Amino acid sequence: MAIRIDGKKISADIKDELKAQVAQLKEQGRDICLAVIQVGDDPASTVYVRNKKTACAYIGIESRAFALPEETTEEELLALIDQLNKDDHVHGILVQLPIPDHMDEQKVIRAISPKKDVDGFHPQSVGALSIGEPGFVSCTPAGIIQLLKRTGIEIEGQECVVVGRSNIVGKPMAMLLLRENGTVTVCHSRTRNLEEVCRRADILVTAIGKPKFFDDTYVKEGAVVIDVGIHRDENNKLCGDVDYDKVVDKVRAITPVPGGVGPMTIAMLMNNCVEAALRMDS
Ligand code: NDP
């Protein structure tokens, strides 16, 4: 029977470990602070921001929320980021994406100091990951490595196929699997014979944003399947990029949706905040 990789449990373990670490730092008089900026009132972003605040409160990290109106100018947002970059009390800065269309997302990301870039989206963080230097790693792929390691799944020497090449999931995922000595193939919308390539995978990571796209024809017997997608199906139930029921009997291990990759993202964000504080103080 397939192992159901329990992201809820693993993320809770990580948060408890961080909570203990933060308590120890507090005893030494060291506080950690995350600044979270939201521009506009996109309902999904509001939920994500609220969840981040709740996680901070649980772990003992101070969260400073900045809810800016939709009509905020790019200059105003950049000025706030500059102010937070210079504030020694703030260890991590996060701008909840997406931001309104009248702002240049890349410019805003680049304005955040790489020392406080807890989302790992700054070009310097991305470059550091590519050349194996210390830096912040995008939270969702970092969480997937934790899921694999903490479930006892070996990456070294395995055929890893990542489907999706976005800057926040697919590309950093591929770099991290490579860092763990996997043999990595990255697929995208122009890949030919996708089924065939996916069937080579010992570890298949799906991040394309298409509900229940991957059925058993994409999966090798005994593979490990990591499903990053999050969608609502025709019955309004949460589902992933993978058709779970069709592949579960064929695989060695699989992440469910919900309760797989999803909860890991915030846990790794919290981890990056603690790391930011430790690096800044050292
Ligand atoms: P993007 O839309 O940025 O990227 C999708 C990628 O999938 C692109 O590289 C695209 O290829 C590729 N793709 C699309 N259709 C196909 C296809 N038919 N065959 C092969 N490749 C295809 O998505 P994200 O990476 O931001 O997110 C992917 C999914 O993960 C979404 O469902 C999102 O909601 C979810 N997600 C979940 C998170 C979590 O915490 N669990 C966090 C982030 C995302 P091309 O480059 O050629 O266009």
Side-chain angles (χ1 to χ4, degrees):
M1 212 168 99
I3 300 167
R4 197 170 186 273
I5 301 174
D6 190 348
K8 237 170 139 177
K9 160 90 172 58
I10 294 171
S11 66
D13 289 347
I14 291 173
K15 283 195 257 182
D16 284 338
E17 290 161 18
L18 291 169
K19 187 178 175 147
Q21 197 180 355
V22 169
Q24 265 184 0
L25 290 169
K26 266 196 183 35
E27 276 172 23
Q28 301 162 12
R30 293 158 80 183
D31 286 320
I32 303 178
C33 174
L34 169 68
V36 181
I37 305 171
Q38 183 181 358
V39 189
D41 50 12
D42 172 60
S45 291
T46 304
V47 174
Y48 293 139
V49 167
R50 195 192 311 134
N51 291 344
K52 287 167 189 175
K53 277 194 238 168
T54 308
C56 281
Y58 179 75
I59 289 167
I61 294 175
E62 180 195 339
S63 62
R64 277 199 210 164
F66 297 86
L68 308 182
E70 179 85 22
E71 54 281 5
T72 303
T73 64
E74 188 179 273
E75 288 67 33
E76 286 167 331
L77 176 58
L78 294 175
L80 173 60
I81 293 172
D82 184 48
Q83 182 194 318
L84 294 169
N85 280 339
K86 290 174 180 151
D87 185 338
D88 289 340
H89 186 71
V90 172
H91 299 93
I93 303 171
L94 179 156
V95 177
Q96 185 64 47
L97 301 177
I99 51 177
D101 288 342
H102 64 271
M103 295 178 179
D104 178 344
E105 191 172 285
Q106 281 308 315
K107 193 168 172 190
V108 170
I109 289 171
R110 276 196 300 274
I112 297 171
S113 161
K115 289 187 179 138
K116 303 189 179 189
D117 174 38
V118 284
D119 257 339
F121 295 164
H122 192 286
Q124 192 170 313
S125 307
V126 177
L129 174 62
S130 304
I131 60 171
E133 282 193 356
F136 294 108
V137 177
S138 183
C139 300
T140 303
I144 291 171
I145 296 293
Q146 287 299 313
L147 283 180
L148 292 168
K149 287 189 169 174
R150 289 174 183 242
T151 312
I153 293 164
E154 198 171 1
I155 303 170
E156 181 160 328
Q158 303 292 302
E159 286 278 352
C160 305
V161 175
V162 179
V163 194
R165 57 173 164 180
S166 70
N167 289 339
I168 61 167
V169 185
K171 282 181 195 151
M173 186 75 255
M175 292 311 304
L176 283 174
L177 290 166
L178 192 59
R179 192 166 84 177
E180 298 294 333
N181 299 319
T183 302
V184 184
T185 305
V186 184
C187 301
H188 44 78
S189 66
R190 314 286 170 87
T191 298
R192 266 184 265 148
N193 305 325
L194 184 65
E195 278 184 33
E196 209 178 296
V197 180
C198 290
R199 274 202 305 270
R200 291 208 302 259
D202 300 313
I203 298 174
L204 175 66
V205 181
T206 62
I208 67 167
K210 302 239 154 77
K212 298 188 185 176
F213 180 92
F214 297 90
D215 62 17
D216 53 333
T217 60
Y218 289 83
V219 176
K220 178 171 82 173
E221 192 87 40
V224 172
V225 176
I226 305 291
D227 188 355
V228 186
I230 310 177
H231 320 276
R232 296 240 168 228
D233 70 8
E234 57 286 358
N235 304 314
N236 206 30
K237 254 184 77 188
L238 285 173
C239 71
D241 286 349
V242 175
D243 194 333
Y244 186 93
D245 293 335
K246 286 197 179 143
V247 310
V248 67
D249 291 331
K250 202 173 177 185
V251 299
R252 174 178 152 215
I254 183 165
T255 55
V257 179
V261 173
M264 296 302 292
T265 302
I266 287 191
M268 298 317 290
L269 172 69
M270 297 297 110
N271 181 66
N272 281 353
C273 291
V274 174
E275 233 181 88
L278 292 175
R279 280 188 207 163
M280 215 178 284
D281 294 347
S282 64

